[in-house]
């Protein structure tokens, strides 16, 4: 039994910090999530559980504190989830949205203010957000860990946490008035990459029927093989002068965090991910879902000083080889200003656009129903924030109708966009189709016509205009010609 609270409006019940697995501490560090430890009586679930172990949050770049986890608590004992529901009885069978946060697989948590679930719950949706392990505690592999595991694999603990959360939802969400057979998984950045992994993973089969992937996918990301991840883990263990797993499990989390820099996220481990994402899709082995996916207009990154025009032309030559001249048409470097702009656009396309574009095309090829967006609204800004445009993560408060948590001087056009975008998403979560009363028509994405929804000051369907450079990038990054299967 659990108890929760109600929101100020009295319409939505909220349950926070519900354990969905045993604390992954001590001997359970670097093991698949284990069953919840039962409790007696009624557990008060009235505040968020601890965020997963990571460095203390601090605002940086365009991400102010509303995009970050609370400063405390942060702990290894983090496997909890949160539920917002407007259901008055367990018989209502409301659609369910499961939110998976981003953070580069090294940070993040479900308690970020912009991930609040009340607004979507008011639209007749049960909103669930899940915590999962990140960084070295979520994606650490080692030969001895693989040897002790029944799956003979190690490292994808963060993904297994997400699957355990979905299994909990399958078993329990009907008690909150939810429909366990109408579940949408959604995420942004590393959360979107997680959604992509879950759609590809046989372990997640039957746990959801729709997916929303915002700015992230794994088609060209080069996830590590199990062998490479195990080698990385062995080097870390050696660098700590520790010789046994037992002693490594006793090491402080703070000491471990100092060693996580070489680690990446998901691993092609032969178990959670039997093959690369691209190969799973090429064989049509992914879990079949309806899909919304897209990316933001200005979400590229240039860390440090941008290259000048001469340096960037050299980079294009090295990256694209004999196709550098074609690439320069899309990413020109006629002068230093052009070069800096092109570097931001190339970063956006390499990191995000080509993955979500590929996801849409492969899903369409495999018979899925796909809807693609481009988020183009630059949130109102002053000072240093003016330069960021439609930045990475900037769409999240609009998509889930949470502008009240985003501290900007919003204009009527922002409120209108949030109403429309969250309306699209709510319709899709309910029916698998974003269209409905009160929103403009969003045409289904088909690889041949490439119609997408532009989400800006106005919201309208238009044809993609940047497919040529994305096809070129996919060819370079995947080592294959995307035109060969006729769907790009």
């Amino acid at each position: 039994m659990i108890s929760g609270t109600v929101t100020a409006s009295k319409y939505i019940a909220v349950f926070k910090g519900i354990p969905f697995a045993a604390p992954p501490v001590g001997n359970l560090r670097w093991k698949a999530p284990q069953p919840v430890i039962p409790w007696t009586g009624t557990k008060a679930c009235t505040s968020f559980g601890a965020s997963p172990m990571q460095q203390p949050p601090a605002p940086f770049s365009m991400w102010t504190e509303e995009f970050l986890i609370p400063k405390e608590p942060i702990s290894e004992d983090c496997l909890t989830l949160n539920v917002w529901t407007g259901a008055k009885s367990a018989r209502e069978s409301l659609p369910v949205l499961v939110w998976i946060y981003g953070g580069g697989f090294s940070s993040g948590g479900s308690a970020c203010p912009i991930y609040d679930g009340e607004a979507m719950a008011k639209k007749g949706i049960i909103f669930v957000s899940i915590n999962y392990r990140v960084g070295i505690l979520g994606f650490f592999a080692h030969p001895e860990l693989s040897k002790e595991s029944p799956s003979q694999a190690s490292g994808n603990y963060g993904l297994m946490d997400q699957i355990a959360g979905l299994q909990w939802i399958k078993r329990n969400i009907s008690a909150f008035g939810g429909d366990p057979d109408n579940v949408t998984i959604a995420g942004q950045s590393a959360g979107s990459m997680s959604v992509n992994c879950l759609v590809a993973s046989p372990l997640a089969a039957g746990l959801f029927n729709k997916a929303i992937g915002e700015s992230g996918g794994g088609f060209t990301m080069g996830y590590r093989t199990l062998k490479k991840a195990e080698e990385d883990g062995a080097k870390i263990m050696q660098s700590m002068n520790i010789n046994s797993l037992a002693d490594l499990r006793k090491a402080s989390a703070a000491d471990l965090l100092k060693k996580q820099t070489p680690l990446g996220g998901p691993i092609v481990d032969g178990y959670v991910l039997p093959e690369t994402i691209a190969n799973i899709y090429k064989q049509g082995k992914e879990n079949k879902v309806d899909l919304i996916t897209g990316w933001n207009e200005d979400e590229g990154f240039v860390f440090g000083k941008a290259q000048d025009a001469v340096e960037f032309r050299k980079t294009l030559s090295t990256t694209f080889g004999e196709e550098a001249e074609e690439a320069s048409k899309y990413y020109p470097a006629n002068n230093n200003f052009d070069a800096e702009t092109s570097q931001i656009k190339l970063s956006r396309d390499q990191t995000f656009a080509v993955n979500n574009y590929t996801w849409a095309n492969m899903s369409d090829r495999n018979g899925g129903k796909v809807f693609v967006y481009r988020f183009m609204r630059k949130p109102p800004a002053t000072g240093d924030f003016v330069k960021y445009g439609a930045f990475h993560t900037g769409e999240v408060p609009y998509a889930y109708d949470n502008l009240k948590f985003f501290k900007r001087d919003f204009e009527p056009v922002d409120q209108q966009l949030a109403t429309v975008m969250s309306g699209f998403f709510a319709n899709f979560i309910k029916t698998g189709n974003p269209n409905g009363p009160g929103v403009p028509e969003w045409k289904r994405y088909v690889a041949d016509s490439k119609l997408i929804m532009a989400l800006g000051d106005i919201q309208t369907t238009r044809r993609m205009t940047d497919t040529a450079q994305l096809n070129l990038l996919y060819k370079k990054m995947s080592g294959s010609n995307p035109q060969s299967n006729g769907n790009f």
Side-chain angles (χ1 to χ4, degrees), residues 191-201 216-219 223 277 281 359:
S192 182
M193 293 164 73
S194 296
V195 168
N196 194 209
C197 289
L198 294 173
V199 175
S201 176
F219 290 92
Y223 292 148
I277 301 285
Y281 267 79
W359 192 354

Side-chain angles (χ1 to χ4, degrees), residues 81-147:
L81 52 76
N82 318 293
V83 179
W84 285 259
T85 177
K88 303 307 180 194
S89 78
R91 298 185 299 274
E92 294 192 30
S93 291
L94 298 178
V96 181
L97 171 67
V98 183
W99 176 255
I100 302 171
Y101 51 79
F105 294 111
S106 62
S107 65
S110 62
C112 297
I114 61 167
Y115 302 159
D116 188 87
E118 181 181 9
M120 295 304 278
K122 286 182 176 179
K123 299 178 191 295
I125 291 161
I126 293 182
F127 188 103
V128 184
S129 54
I130 300 176
N131 273 357
Y132 62 94
R133 286 170 280 182
V134 298
I136 194 168
L137 293 162
F139 296 93
F140 175 81
H142 190 279
E144 292 300 315
L145 285 173
S146 298
K147 185 177 179 181

Side-chain angles (χ1 to χ4, degrees), residues 22-32 34 37 133 249:
V25 300
N27 192 47
L28 296 185
R29 180 187 276 178
W30 300 312
K31 284 191 176 180
Q34 299 299 303
I37 299 171
R133 286 170 280 182
R249 284 182 165 129

Side-chain angles (χ1 to χ4, degrees), residues 172-199:
N172 293 290
I173 204 64
S174 59
F176 299 84
D179 182 353
D181 296 319
N182 190 10
V183 175
T184 302
I185 57 173
Q188 183 269 342
S189 195
S192 182
M193 293 164 73
S194 296
V195 168
N196 194 209
C197 289
L198 294 173
V199 175

